[in-house]
Amino acid sequence: MAEYLHYYILFQNHTDATAMYRSLKGKGMYAQISPTPRELSVCCGVSLLVHGEDVDSIKEIAEAENLAYLSISGLNNTFDNTRHKYG
Amino acid sequence: MADNQKMWADLGMNLELHDMLCEVLPGAIGDVFMSQENRPEAMDYFDMVLADVHGLRPSELVEFRKNGGKVFGTFCAYVPDEVIFAAGGIATGLCAGSQFWVPGGERYLPANTCPLIKAMLGARFDRTCPFYRLADIYIGENTCDGKKKAYEILGTDVPMHIMDLPQMKRDKDYLKWADEIKDLIKVVEETTGNKVTAEALAENIKKINAKRAALQRLYSLRWKENVPISGTDVLLISQIAYYDDPERFAAMVNKLCDELEKRVADGVNLAAGKKRILISGTPMAIPNWKLHNLVETSGGIVVCEETCTGTRYFENFVDESGETLDDMVQNIANRYMGINCACFTPNTARFDDVVRLAKDSKADGVIDVNLMFCQTYDIEGRSLEERCKAEGIPFLGIETDYTDNDAQQLKTRIGAFIEMLG
Amino acid sequence: MAKKYIGIDIGSTASKVCVLEEGSDPVYEVLPTGWNSKITAGIIKDDLVKRYGDIDDADIIATGYGRISVEYADSVVTEITCHGRGGYEMIGRDCTIIDIGGQDTKYINVKNGRPIDFLMNDKCAAGTGKFIEVMANRLGLTIEELFELAEIGKPISISSLCTVFAESEVINYMGEGRSREDLAAGVIDSVALKVATLVQRKELQDTIIITGGFSNNEFFASLLSKKLGKKALAMPDGRYAGAFGAALLARERSKKA
């Protein structure tokens, strides 16, 4: 997989997102609840921000624990606290 | 999450326009929240609510209404949620904190109206906020001339009930506010078809008090010497307080506080090397995070908000000892009349609040932030400044709106203020 | 070679540089900021290297609205703190500073050598260098010529607070055939009045100094003094107060560390 700044797990609904979040957190892994970036989806919704190096193990965990998700996508977006654009 | 699109369409929203809001919010949330380091784990609940702000809670309200439930939209910390929940209704704040809604409001209102009021009308008439669609009736209040007149326009599109808030705090005004709450009870009963019984009201007084207690606990933790949570995160929580389910919200805040207590004990300190700032002034409705973001990227940390999205929302409890409905209503009235808004005269108790809170939160300085064209707070700002200076509390007054274009100028002022404190 | 402390003040119109070296007087430079403050910062660096050789050992503080563009600065400090520090040093005692910049006007009150209060004009060119620039252009004058003519004119009152409206007002007067001297006098008078109005709610100490682009203009200082009802002093090097303050702060920080 190419190197991206951020990796997002996308879901069908927030219930799936919550299940995945709990499982990853329970294993001490990094996961951050995030709004789905526009570049990856056309509507507001919950996604999980995860570390690139965890992507392969997340796929295995999802398979083993039957956790549903749509895709894991990389994105070169930045979080810039000095951009001062608030929408 | 295709479900949201269908829900929004069913709610009669303008999907195309709403989509433009969806386009900018994730970026802003990334910049303001995700860029922060060392956040408490238990912010995850609030991150979830925010990530799907127009999906999660609205879908609960849709379900609630399918079963005949009634939703009451409110705009102000003076509207007593207790009586709405006591009738089996749900109260939800109608947020109006984005520039996105302002141009829509300017089609109905003079340009020199406060951005919050303009956003309120824009969100309703442009059909770009699900909460505005989900409320069966709006409960307004005459806390300023702008809102009072804007409600007349809003009332052409949606049922409205206006509460007549007294503007002085004499004994007869407390009685009058109790009377107004009785009128609200009638409206709530007619709308829901349920009676507000003494039993239900007593129960809901306790429920809303518990929410206040949770928020008070949260604030007392950030007032510690080592601050375990950023002001930006607390502001988000205060904003969510207005529209989340009160019991779940209180439980989540308490869960967060458990973690914050541990962080305090472990010596986590987000205030290290920073100046502690108390923000006073006008409300910051979601997604207005501008001032907190500016302060917290300029060497400051916000440790308290003396605003309607802060202490004014949760300070003081409703006395729970009332037995009759009348007693309870008066107790509710007394608690809400204890809020010190600039719509009252005189309002020197607010200055006492700011001085007390600055001491309690160990603030190094006060930044008084007023939304542009908010006349009452703007006029009061000068007296507040004099009072703070007399107490030896450094003070900076700022007037701003929801646009981004003054961000750099504000950064210079806030930066200079923080340097001055150093 | 002695240690150098450098203050760089990237203003909206002009960029100022101050180099401090033990045992010598401060050395000042000024250049127009242009359209890109990053490029300006680069020009300043090249110039410093040309004059002093290596500047890697120098302590540099950047200030002004373009302060974040000075990537080689060791730190950034707001122009309010820097003007306060520099102005205080120039006059040698506690003072009230009125800084008239290209895009904003600032009031800074310095006590015990430290800024304790300040005010900036709001989102508006009224009472700033920009206002004078716009009006000079409209009258077909350089800024220097505008000041010179103003001294001999009788001020026509320009009542609009907004630069855009004030410009239309001046155009109307021009249409009426009023003299350029009187219009120039009206423009400068209106700036002094706006500045005085801005600070009227604030404390003015016995010593008031003017910094910024017009700080060396005695005529403007006397006019402002009249409006304030208190003597405001022109400062020959006042435009460098921000850069000077930044260099002083760089030196203080280095001594502390």
Side-chain angles (χ1 to χ4, degrees), chain A residues 45-62:
Chain A
V46 179
S47 60
L48 286 186
L49 192 58
V50 294
H51 285 154
E53 61 266 27
D54 292 340
V55 168
D56 289 336
S57 38
I58 289 169
K59 285 179 179 165
E60 285 165 24
I61 291 166

mmCIF file with all atom_site columns, all heavy atoms in Angstrom, chain A residues 45-62:
data_model
loop_
_atom_site.group_PDB
_atom_site.id
_atom_site.type_symbol
_atom_site.label_atom_id
_atom_site.label_alt_id
_atom_site.label_comp_id
_atom_site.label_asym_id
_atom_site.label_entity_id
_atom_site.label_seq_id
_atom_site.pdbx_PDB_ins_code
_atom_site.Cartn_x
_atom_site.Cartn_y
_atom_site.Cartn_z
_atom_site.occupancy
_atom_site.B_iso_or_equiv
_atom_site.pdbx_formal_charge
_atom_site.auth_seq_id
_atom_site.auth_comp_id
_atom_site.auth_asym_id
_atom_site.auth_atom_id
_atom_site.pdbx_PDB_model_num
ATOM 1   N N   . GLY A 1 45 ? -20.394 11.346  8.097  1.00 0.00 ? 45 GLY A N   1
ATOM 2   C CA  . GLY A 1 45 ? -20.511 10.070  8.754  1.00 0.00 ? 45 GLY A CA  1
ATOM 3   C C   . GLY A 1 45 ? -19.263 9.783   9.561  1.00 0.00 ? 45 GLY A C   1
ATOM 4   O O   . GLY A 1 45 ? -18.306 10.537  9.518  1.00 0.00 ? 45 GLY A O   1
ATOM 5   N N   . VAL A 1 46 ? -19.324 8.697   10.308 1.00 0.00 ? 46 VAL A N   1
ATOM 6   C CA  . VAL A 1 46 ? -18.230 8.365   11.205 1.00 0.00 ? 46 VAL A CA  1
ATOM 7   C C   . VAL A 1 46 ? -17.244 7.436   10.510 1.00 0.00 ? 46 VAL A C   1
ATOM 8   O O   . VAL A 1 46 ? -17.645 6.491   9.843  1.00 0.00 ? 46 VAL A O   1
ATOM 9   C CB  . VAL A 1 46 ? -18.794 7.668   12.464 1.00 0.00 ? 46 VAL A CB  1
ATOM 10  C CG1 . VAL A 1 46 ? -17.672 7.286   13.408 1.00 0.00 ? 46 VAL A CG1 1
ATOM 11  C CG2 . VAL A 1 46 ? -19.792 8.573   13.163 1.00 0.00 ? 46 VAL A CG2 1
ATOM 12  N N   . SER A 1 47 ? -15.973 7.712   10.658 1.00 0.00 ? 47 SER A N   1
ATOM 13  C CA  . SER A 1 47 ? -14.948 6.779   10.216 1.00 0.00 ? 47 SER A CA  1
ATOM 14  C C   . SER A 1 47 ? -13.908 6.664   11.327 1.00 0.00 ? 47 SER A C   1
ATOM 15  O O   . SER A 1 47 ? -13.985 7.378   12.325 1.00 0.00 ? 47 SER A O   1
ATOM 16  C CB  . SER A 1 47 ? -14.309 7.251   8.919  1.00 0.00 ? 47 SER A CB  1
ATOM 17  O OG  . SER A 1 47 ? -13.728 8.519   9.122  1.00 0.00 ? 47 SER A OG  1
ATOM 18  N N   . LEU A 1 48 ? -12.983 5.750   11.151 1.00 0.00 ? 48 LEU A N   1
ATOM 19  C CA  . LEU A 1 48 ? -11.932 5.595   12.152 1.00 0.00 ? 48 LEU A CA  1
ATOM 20  C C   . LEU A 1 48 ? -10.589 5.909   11.534 1.00 0.00 ? 48 LEU A C   1
ATOM 21  O O   . LEU A 1 48 ? -10.239 5.384   10.476 1.00 0.00 ? 48 LEU A O   1
ATOM 22  C CB  . LEU A 1 48 ? -11.892 4.151   12.696 1.00 0.00 ? 48 LEU A CB  1
ATOM 23  C CG  . LEU A 1 48 ? -12.977 3.712   13.660 1.00 0.00 ? 48 LEU A CG  1
ATOM 24  C CD1 . LEU A 1 48 ? -12.668 2.315   14.177 1.00 0.00 ? 48 LEU A CD1 1
ATOM 25  C CD2 . LEU A 1 48 ? -13.107 4.682   14.826 1.00 0.00 ? 48 LEU A CD2 1
ATOM 26  N N   . LEU A 1 49 ? -9.858  6.759   12.209 1.00 0.00 ? 49 LEU A N   1
ATOM 27  C CA  . LEU A 1 49 ? -8.518  7.112   11.791 1.00 0.00 ? 49 LEU A CA  1
ATOM 28  C C   . LEU A 1 49 ? -7.581  6.106   12.465 1.00 0.00 ? 49 LEU A C   1
ATOM 29  O O   . LEU A 1 49 ? -7.639  5.927   13.681 1.00 0.00 ? 49 LEU A O   1
ATOM 30  C CB  . LEU A 1 49 ? -8.247  8.529   12.301 1.00 0.00 ? 49 LEU A CB  1
ATOM 31  C CG  . LEU A 1 49 ? -7.051  9.301   11.823 1.00 0.00 ? 49 LEU A CG  1
ATOM 32  C CD1 . LEU A 1 49 ? -7.078  9.445   10.321 1.00 0.00 ? 49 LEU A CD1 1
ATOM 33  C CD2 . LEU A 1 49 ? -7.078  10.682  12.475 1.00 0.00 ? 49 LEU A CD2 1
ATOM 34  N N   . VAL A 1 50 ? -6.769  5.414   11.662 1.00 0.00 ? 50 VAL A N   1
ATOM 35  C CA  . VAL A 1 50 ? -5.870  4.407   12.245 1.00 0.00 ? 50 VAL A CA  1
ATOM 36  C C   . VAL A 1 50 ? -4.455  4.617   11.723 1.00 0.00 ? 50 VAL A C   1
ATOM 37  O O   . VAL A 1 50 ? -4.244  5.364   10.775 1.00 0.00 ? 50 VAL A O   1
ATOM 38  C CB  . VAL A 1 50 ? -6.341  2.969   11.911 1.00 0.00 ? 50 VAL A CB  1
ATOM 39  C CG1 . VAL A 1 50 ? -7.663  2.674   12.588 1.00 0.00 ? 50 VAL A CG1 1
ATOM 40  C CG2 . VAL A 1 50 ? -6.440  2.765   10.400 1.00 0.00 ? 50 VAL A CG2 1
ATOM 41  N N   . HIS A 1 51 ? -3.500  3.948   12.336 1.00 0.00 ? 51 HIS A N   1
ATOM 42  C CA  . HIS A 1 51 ? -2.108  4.062   11.895 1.00 0.00 ? 51 HIS A CA  1
ATOM 43  C C   . HIS A 1 51 ? -1.861  3.170   10.682 1.00 0.00 ? 51 HIS A C   1
ATOM 44  O O   . HIS A 1 51 ? -2.354  2.038   10.624 1.00 0.00 ? 51 HIS A O   1
ATOM 45  C CB  . HIS A 1 51 ? -1.160  3.659   13.029 1.00 0.00 ? 51 HIS A CB  1
ATOM 46  C CG  . HIS A 1 51 ? -1.051  4.705   14.098 1.00 0.00 ? 51 HIS A CG  1
ATOM 47  N ND1 . HIS A 1 51 ? -0.726  4.416   15.388 1.00 0.00 ? 51 HIS A ND1 1
ATOM 48  C CD2 . HIS A 1 51 ? -1.233  6.053   14.050 1.00 0.00 ? 51 HIS A CD2 1
ATOM 49  C CE1 . HIS A 1 51 ? -0.700  5.535   16.111 1.00 0.00 ? 51 HIS A CE1 1
ATOM 50  N NE2 . HIS A 1 51 ? -1.011  6.541   15.323 1.00 0.00 ? 51 HIS A NE2 1
ATOM 51  N N   . GLY A 1 52 ? -1.088  3.678   9.735  1.00 0.00 ? 52 GLY A N   1
ATOM 52  C CA  . GLY A 1 52 ? -0.789  2.951   8.508  1.00 0.00 ? 52 GLY A CA  1
ATOM 53  C C   . GLY A 1 52 ? -0.194  1.571   8.771  1.00 0.00 ? 52 GLY A C   1
ATOM 54  O O   . GLY A 1 52 ? -0.566  0.591   8.124  1.00 0.00 ? 52 GLY A O   1
ATOM 55  N N   . GLU A 1 53 ? 0.689   1.495   9.769  1.00 0.00 ? 53 GLU A N   1
ATOM 56  C CA  . GLU A 1 53 ? 1.358   0.204   10.022 1.00 0.00 ? 53 GLU A CA  1
ATOM 57  C C   . GLU A 1 53 ? 0.407   -0.835  10.620 1.00 0.00 ? 53 GLU A C   1
ATOM 58  O O   . GLU A 1 53 ? 0.712   -2.020  10.648 1.00 0.00 ? 53 GLU A O   1
ATOM 59  C CB  . GLU A 1 53 ? 2.589   0.386   10.922 1.00 0.00 ? 53 GLU A CB  1
ATOM 60  C CG  . GLU A 1 53 ? 2.319   0.947   12.309 1.00 0.00 ? 53 GLU A CG  1
ATOM 61  C CD  . GLU A 1 53 ? 2.473   2.472   12.375 1.00 0.00 ? 53 GLU A CD  1
ATOM 62  O OE1 . GLU A 1 53 ? 2.279   3.130   11.326 1.00 0.00 ? 53 GLU A OE1 1
ATOM 63  O OE2 . GLU A 1 53 ? 2.756   2.985   13.471 1.00 0.00 ? 53 GLU A OE2 1
ATOM 64  N N   . ASP A 1 54 ? -0.768  -0.370  11.090 1.00 0.00 ? 54 ASP A N   1
ATOM 65  C CA  . ASP A 1 54 ? -1.738  -1.316  11.674 1.00 0.00 ? 54 ASP A CA  1
ATOM 66  C C   . ASP A 1 54 ? -2.727  -1.849  10.641 1.00 0.00 ? 54 ASP A C   1
ATOM 67  O O   . ASP A 1 54 ? -3.518  -2.744  10.959 1.00 0.00 ? 54 ASP A O   1
ATOM 68  C CB  . ASP A 1 54 ? -2.551  -0.622  12.789 1.00 0.00 ? 54 ASP A CB  1
ATOM 69  C CG  . ASP A 1 54 ? -1.690  -0.294  14.005 1.00 0.00 ? 54 ASP A CG  1
ATOM 70  O OD1 . ASP A 1 54 ? -0.621  -0.920  14.145 1.00 0.00 ? 54 ASP A OD1 1
ATOM 71  O OD2 . ASP A 1 54 ? -2.092  0.575   14.799 1.00 0.00 ? 54 ASP A OD2 1
ATOM 72  N N   . VAL A 1 55 ? -2.705  -1.292  9.428  1.00 0.00 ? 55 VAL A N   1
ATOM 73  C CA  . VAL A 1 55 ? -3.761  -1.616  8.467  1.00 0.00 ? 55 VAL A CA  1
ATOM 74  C C   . VAL A 1 55 ? -3.878  -3.119  8.218  1.00 0.00 ? 55 VAL A C   1
ATOM 75  O O   . VAL A 1 55 ? -4.977  -3.687  8.246  1.00 0.00 ? 55 VAL A O   1
ATOM 76  C CB  . VAL A 1 55 ? -3.542  -0.844  7.141  1.00 0.00 ? 55 VAL A CB  1
ATOM 77  C CG1 . VAL A 1 55 ? -4.445  -1.384  6.038  1.00 0.00 ? 55 VAL A CG1 1
ATOM 78  C CG2 . VAL A 1 55 ? -3.833  0.645   7.356  1.00 0.00 ? 55 VAL A CG2 1
ATOM 79  N N   . ASP A 1 56 ? -2.730  -3.802  8.018  1.00 0.00 ? 56 ASP A N   1
ATOM 80  C CA  . ASP A 1 56 ? -2.785  -5.244  7.733  1.00 0.00 ? 56 ASP A CA  1
ATOM 81  C C   . ASP A 1 56 ? -3.370  -6.022  8.907  1.00 0.00 ? 56 ASP A C   1
ATOM 82  O O   . ASP A 1 56 ? -4.229  -6.891  8.727  1.00 0.00 ? 56 ASP A O   1
ATOM 83  C CB  . ASP A 1 56 ? -1.388  -5.760  7.382  1.00 0.00 ? 56 ASP A CB  1
ATOM 84  C CG  . ASP A 1 56 ? -0.944  -5.243  6.018  1.00 0.00 ? 56 ASP A CG  1
ATOM 85  O OD1 . ASP A 1 56 ? -1.845  -4.917  5.207  1.00 0.00 ? 56 ASP A OD1 1
ATOM 86  O OD2 . ASP A 1 56 ? 0.276   -5.133  5.780  1.00 0.00 ? 56 ASP A OD2 1
ATOM 87  N N   . SER A 1 57 ? -2.924  -5.680  10.115 1.00 0.00 ? 57 SER A N   1
ATOM 88  C CA  . SER A 1 57 ? -3.456  -6.430  11.265 1.00 0.00 ? 57 SER A CA  1
ATOM 89  C C   . SER A 1 57 ? -4.926  -6.109  11.498 1.00 0.00 ? 57 SER A C   1
ATOM 90  O O   . SER A 1 57 ? -5.691  -6.984  11.931 1.00 0.00 ? 57 SER A O   1
ATOM 91  C CB  . SER A 1 57 ? -2.622  -6.193  12.522 1.00 0.00 ? 57 SER A CB  1
ATOM 92  O OG  . SER A 1 57 ? -2.189  -4.867  12.590 1.00 0.00 ? 57 SER A OG  1
ATOM 93  N N   . ILE A 1 58 ? -5.342  -4.889  11.166 1.00 0.00 ? 58 ILE A N   1
ATOM 94  C CA  . ILE A 1 58 ? -6.766  -4.547  11.318 1.00 0.00 ? 58 ILE A CA  1
ATOM 95  C C   . ILE A 1 58 ? -7.620  -5.404  10.387 1.00 0.00 ? 58 ILE A C   1
ATOM 96  O O   . ILE A 1 58 ? -8.669  -5.916  10.781 1.00 0.00 ? 58 ILE A O   1
ATOM 97  C CB  . ILE A 1 58 ? -6.994  -3.034  11.049 1.00 0.00 ? 58 ILE A CB  1
ATOM 98  C CG1 . ILE A 1 58 ? -6.414  -2.199  12.199 1.00 0.00 ? 58 ILE A CG1 1
ATOM 99  C CG2 . ILE A 1 58 ? -8.498  -2.730  10.884 1.00 0.00 ? 58 ILE A CG2 1
ATOM 100 C CD1 . ILE A 1 58 ? -6.349  -0.711  11.926 1.00 0.00 ? 58 ILE A CD1 1
ATOM 101 N N   . LYS A 1 59 ? -7.119  -5.611  9.185  1.00 0.00 ? 59 LYS A N   1
ATOM 102 C CA  . LYS A 1 59 ? -7.864  -6.454  8.240  1.00 0.00 ? 59 LYS A CA  1
ATOM 103 C C   . LYS A 1 59 ? -8.004  -7.878  8.789  1.00 0.00 ? 59 LYS A C   1
ATOM 104 O O   . LYS A 1 59 ? -9.054  -8.510  8.684  1.00 0.00 ? 59 LYS A O   1
ATOM 105 C CB  . LYS A 1 59 ? -7.153  -6.475  6.881  1.00 0.00 ? 59 LYS A CB  1
ATOM 106 C CG  . LYS A 1 59 ? -7.345  -5.179  6.097  1.00 0.00 ? 59 LYS A CG  1
ATOM 107 C CD  . LYS A 1 59 ? -6.620  -5.212  4.778  1.00 0.00 ? 59 LYS A CD  1
ATOM 108 C CE  . LYS A 1 59 ? -6.849  -3.908  4.019  1.00 0.00 ? 59 LYS A CE  1
ATOM 109 N NZ  . LYS A 1 59 ? -5.913  -3.732  2.911  1.00 0.00 ? 59 LYS A NZ  1
ATOM 110 N N   . GLU A 1 60 ? -6.935  -8.368  9.405  1.00 0.00 ? 60 GLU A N   1
ATOM 111 C CA  . GLU A 1 60 ? -6.984  -9.718  9.990  1.00 0.00 ? 60 GLU A CA  1
ATOM 112 C C   . GLU A 1 60 ? -7.951  -9.768  11.161 1.00 0.00 ? 60 GLU A C   1
ATOM 113 O O   . GLU A 1 60 ? -8.741  -10.705 11.290 1.00 0.00 ? 60 GLU A O   1
ATOM 114 C CB  . GLU A 1 60 ? -5.580  -10.138 10.457 1.00 0.00 ? 60 GLU A CB  1
ATOM 115 C CG  . GLU A 1 60 ? -4.660  -10.514 9.310  1.00 0.00 ? 60 GLU A CG  1
ATOM 116 C CD  . GLU A 1 60 ? -3.192  -10.564 9.737  1.00 0.00 ? 60 GLU A CD  1
ATOM 117 O OE1 . GLU A 1 60 ? -2.917  -10.768 10.942 1.00 0.00 ? 60 GLU A OE1 1
ATOM 118 O OE2 . GLU A 1 60 ? -2.326  -10.358 8.855  1.00 0.00 ? 60 GLU A OE2 1
ATOM 119 N N   . ILE A 1 61 ? -7.884  -8.747  12.000 1.00 0.00 ? 61 ILE A N   1
ATOM 120 C CA  . ILE A 1 61 ? -8.786  -8.696  13.168 1.00 0.00 ? 61 ILE A CA  1
ATOM 121 C C   . ILE A 1 61 ? -10.240 -8.669  12.692 1.00 0.00 ? 61 ILE A C   1
ATOM 122 O O   . ILE A 1 61 ? -11.091 -9.396  13.218 1.00 0.00 ? 61 ILE A O   1
ATOM 123 C CB  . ILE A 1 61 ? -8.486  -7.447  14.038 1.00 0.00 ? 61 ILE A CB  1
ATOM 124 C CG1 . ILE A 1 61 ? -7.119  -7.588  14.715 1.00 0.00 ? 61 ILE A CG1 1
ATOM 125 C CG2 . ILE A 1 61 ? -9.575  -7.224  15.084 1.00 0.00 ? 61 ILE A CG2 1
ATOM 126 C CD1 . ILE A 1 61 ? -6.574  -6.294  15.309 1.00 0.00 ? 61 ILE A CD1 1
ATOM 127 N N   . ALA A 1 62 ? -10.509 -7.839  11.682 1.00 0.00 ? 62 ALA A N   1
ATOM 128 C CA  . ALA A 1 62 ? -11.868 -7.711  11.166 1.00 0.00 ? 62 ALA A CA  1
ATOM 129 C C   . ALA A 1 62 ? -12.380 -9.060  10.661 1.00 0.00 ? 62 ALA A C   1
ATOM 130 O O   . ALA A 1 62 ? -13.523 -9.448  10.917 1.00 0.00 ? 62 ALA A O   1
ATOM 131 C CB  . ALA A 1 62 ? -11.906 -6.675  10.053 1.00 0.00 ? 62 ALA A CB  1
#
